[in-house]
Amino acid sequence: MCNGISEPGFVEKLIMNETFHHDVNPRHILITGGNRGIGYATTFQLMRAGHVVTLTARDKAAGQAAVERLRHENNRADVNVATLDLGSFAAIRRFAAEMETAQPLDAVIHNAGILVPASERRLTIDGIEECLQVHTVGPILLTCLLASRLRRPCRIVLVASSLHAPGTHGKEVGFDFADPNLARGYNPDRAYKNAKLAQLWFALEWERRFGGTGLHIDAVCPGFVPVTAVRSTTGMRRLMLKYALPWMPFATSVVKAARIEAEWALRDPEEPGGRYFDGRKITEPSEDARDDTKAQAFWTLVQTWLGHPIEI
Ligand SMILES: NC(=O)c1ccc[n+]([C@@H]2O[C@H](COP(=O)([O-])OP(=O)(O)OC[C@H]3O[C@@H](n4cnc5c(N)ncnc54)[C@H](OP(=O)(O)O)[C@@H]3O)[C@@H](O)[C@H]2O)c1
């Protein structure tokens, strides 16, 4: 069932069996990392429901190939592509400048992420641990730069993870404000979990500061989708992800995960944000994630990295 996630047509075949309700109010939705994985499947679902989607890809050719596949399935698909690398502030600024002339956005899905972080620590060109920048710091800058293109009210979704909480498999989450870039004791599990925790601080602090402007950010865990990690792994881990884990009761499919991303992006934009959803349920995130002082400390840290206040 899940062997061919990277094969052309795999996601399409699964989604074709789904029933879509054509939305009478098409929305313009931006999704980052829409060229593959859950982001691609989410784009497909939104497109089938009649929405206009702008997807981003790091690689121009990969983005165009994704759009061609989407249009092949639906020649009326209103889908655009743009290049975006969240690992570079300069690239984020370039992308935001390109979006200046685009139609206003009704929703943004910050989906792009590094599912399997590098085994050795990597810093971005901006000097930030790569996972933290791609999942959290980059999306903060991007949201601010796009603010003038966002309709009010607007739903913004951060694709988060239940792994932000302590007690999950692998190295524990542990965000040390004295060492946010994990210079001491880097571990890929921890890098991922810290970045996912920081996303929740972002949602919390953003709602406190800017929720009143109608720009509402929520964090949503789409569930555990083993198949999307297959391409980034080798050996026994790859075999487990490909053949065993997809059948476990705690795993979900790429299509179901995409449905969750799409549903939250299409929720009533008037609803307040700052919430965390585990799948379809509003869930209390970890104690750390609810800590206002830590959320504010993270905000200050990001401002230091950006070299200016976070403003919209
Ligand atoms: N799979 C799961 O079990 C699971 C569970 C909870 C949450 N999530 C989250 O769901 C989101 C999507 O994950 P997925 O499973 O679909 O992963 P995926 O198949 O690996 O897709 C990741 C996407 O992010 C893009 N990306 C990576 N680095 C980027 C960068 N520097 N700048 C811009 N885009 C970048 C990738 O582009 P390239 O093609 O250029 O690499 C790709 O489009 C992630 O945020 C992930 O953390 C996943």
Side-chain angles (χ1 to χ4, degrees), residues 33-39 56-59 84-87 110-115 134-135 159-161 192 196 199 221-226 228 231-232 261:
N35 58 298
R36 64 183 171 90
I38 307 172
T56 77
R58 262 193 303 190
D59 177 64
L84 169 67
D85 183 350
L86 289 159
H110 289 293
N111 164 83
I114 302 176
L115 202 53
V134 171
H135 288 270
V159 182
S161 169
Y192 184 81
K196 291 302 189 192
Q199 285 185 324
C221 174
F224 174 46
V225 184
T228 55
R231 58 180 281 160
S232 321
E261 286 194 19

Side-chain angles (χ1 to χ4, degrees), residues 182-200:
L182 295 170
R184 298 187 290 274
Y186 171 83
N187 173 277
D189 271 354
R190 175 160 288 167
Y192 184 81
K193 292 173 181 180
N194 283 2
K196 291 302 189 192
L197 171 62
Q199 285 185 324
L200 293 163

Side-chain angles (χ1 to χ4, degrees), residues 33-264:
N35 58 298
R36 64 183 171 90
I38 307 172
Y40 178 79
T42 305
T43 304
F44 196 94
Q45 297 196 3
L46 290 168
M47 182 197 89
R48 288 281 304 276
H51 299 287
V52 180
V53 185
T54 296
L55 70 83
T56 77
R58 262 193 303 190
D59 177 64
K60 197 172 177 187
Q64 277 164 349
V67 167
E68 272 163 36
R69 275 153 59 209
L70 291 160
R71 290 202 178 122
H72 178 73
E73 292 303 328
N74 179 351
N75 54 18
R76 283 180 306 161
D78 201 343
V79 56
N80 314 296
V81 63
T83 311
L84 169 67
D85 183 350
L86 289 159
S88 153
F89 292 162
I92 295 170
R93 290 183 195 285
R94 272 197 301 278
F95 168 75
E98 276 172 38
M99 291 298 287
E100 283 290 314
T101 52
Q103 288 297 312
L105 292 157
D106 298 283
V108 177
I109 308 177
H110 289 293
N111 164 83
I114 302 176
L115 202 53
V116 183
S119 52
E120 301 292 327
R121 185 174 83 118
R122 275 199 214 148
L123 295 182
T124 65
I125 192 163
D126 305 297
I128 300 168
E129 191 281 316
E130 187 183 39
C131 216
L132 187 61
Q133 176 156 339
V134 171
H135 288 270
T136 316
V137 184
I140 293 177
L141 176 61
L142 179 59
T143 313
C144 294
L145 294 173
L146 289 179
S148 65
R149 304 307 302 150
L150 305 180
R151 281 193 212 279
R152 317 288 169 107
C154 179
R155 284 245 76 80
I156 303 165
V157 178
L158 286 165
V159 182
S161 169
S162 56
L163 294 179
H164 77 274
T168 56
H169 178 75
K171 189 84 170 172
E172 275 290 289
V173 61
F175 198 99
D176 178 358
F177 281 92
D179 183 25
N181 288 322
L182 295 170
R184 298 187 290 274
Y186 171 83
N187 173 277
D189 271 354
R190 175 160 288 167
Y192 184 81
K193 292 173 181 180
N194 283 2
K196 291 302 189 192
L197 171 62
Q199 285 185 324
L200 293 163
W201 288 330
F202 170 27
L204 188 68
E205 190 59 13
W206 179 280
E207 184 65 18
R208 195 178 74 77
R209 290 175 183 249
F210 304 132
T213 68
L215 304 182
H216 299 298
I217 303 190
D218 290 312
V220 177
C221 174
F224 174 46
V225 184
V227 288
T228 55
V230 168
R231 58 180 281 160
S232 321
T233 47
T234 54
M236 184 53 82
R237 192 170 173 207
R238 183 185 175 94
L239 293 176
M240 290 290 291
L241 285 162
K242 195 166 176 179
Y243 297 112
L245 291 174
W247 303 100
M248 295 293 151
F250 49 81
T252 189
S253 72
V254 69
V255 173
K256 284 187 182 151
R259 209 182 295 146
I260 286 169
E261 286 194 19
E263 277 178 19
W264 289 114

